[in-house]
Amino acid sequence: MSRIALYPGSFDPPTRGHEDLIRRAAILADELVVAVVGNPSKQPAFTTAERLDLLRATVGDLPNVRFDAFEGLLADYARRIGAQFLVRGLRAVGDFEYEYQMALMNRQLHPGLETIFLVPASGLTYVSASLVREVARFGGDVGPLVHPVVAAALARRFAR
Ligand code: PNS
């Protein structure tokens, strides 16, 4: 049976941290589905379609990775695509409480789905999409934190 892993997130925008995690997760699974949440409660900087394009530009070279979007409950989406593993990143202790709670809630909703936590490269543990957006919005250099295609998209989005 092929091992399907699901890496869900906002990816608004994808960062080098996301990329690092996707490359690590792709080694563990036969197929990795990177899924963008189309969350109407948040006002994203990039549309779902744009975030998917930015992901493809960043990690589109990986043959066993496919990209998708979903709305509604993650557990339901995981069931629909037949994923057995849910991948999430842990950068620091600050991430732990929310991730732990989410893992247990997802287990309650879908007992067959096992959450796996991966740790990014140590040099990327401070990188978050929200900080990247904030730095880019005020004209700071996000070059080392995102793929050049993402940096260009941020520059266009926050052009003054
Ligand atoms: O990149 P993020 O914003 O940390 O990802 C959060 C995400 C998309 C994994 C989470 O918000 C999610 O699962 N949303 C879908 C709705 C859902 O299932 N909520 C209950 C989670 S226990």
Side-chain angles (χ1 to χ4, degrees):
M1 192 173 70
S2 84
R3 289 167 177 263
I4 303 175
L6 166 61
Y7 180 33
S10 302
F11 304 109
D12 188 37
T15 66
R16 288 293 191 198
H18 294 127
E19 175 181 350
D20 180 88
L21 235 70
I22 291 167
R23 292 187 186 282
R24 290 174 199 281
I27 294 167
L28 302 177
D30 295 314
E31 183 184 24
L32 175 67
V33 179
V34 178
V36 173
V37 67
N39 184 348
S41 70
K42 278 189 192 171
Q43 188 64 262
F46 295 98
T47 65
T48 303
E50 287 170 331
R51 286 179 274 157
L52 285 167
D53 283 346
L54 295 175
L55 278 165
R56 283 191 195 97
T58 305
V59 283
D61 59 304
L62 294 168
N64 64 332
V65 176
R66 71 178 175 90
F67 305 92
D68 196 11
F70 73 100
E71 288 190 357
L73 277 181
L74 178 60
D76 291 340
Y77 173 70
R79 206 178 265 113
R80 277 203 302 281
I81 65 165
Q84 302 102 320
F85 303 100
L86 182 61
V87 174
R88 293 289 292 170
L90 277 183
R91 289 167 298 191
V93 283
D95 286 340
F96 180 77
E97 201 170 347
Y98 172 63
E99 294 296 336
Y100 184 70
Q101 204 178 3
M102 212 161 58
L104 291 176
M105 183 60 80
N106 281 322
R107 179 177 285 163
Q108 159 70 27
L109 295 167
H110 182 353
L113 184 67
E114 203 62 61
T115 300
I116 296 178
F117 293 112
L118 295 181
V119 174
S122 57
L124 294 170
T125 53
Y126 69 99
V127 180
S128 71
S130 56
L131 270 184
V132 163
R133 283 197 308 274
E134 187 168 320
V135 170
R137 178 174 286 119
F138 294 111
D141 178 18
V142 293
L145 313 179
V146 295
H147 187 280
V149 169
V150 177
L154 283 163
R156 282 195 302 276
R157 179 55 32 93
F158 297 123
R160 288 190 248 188

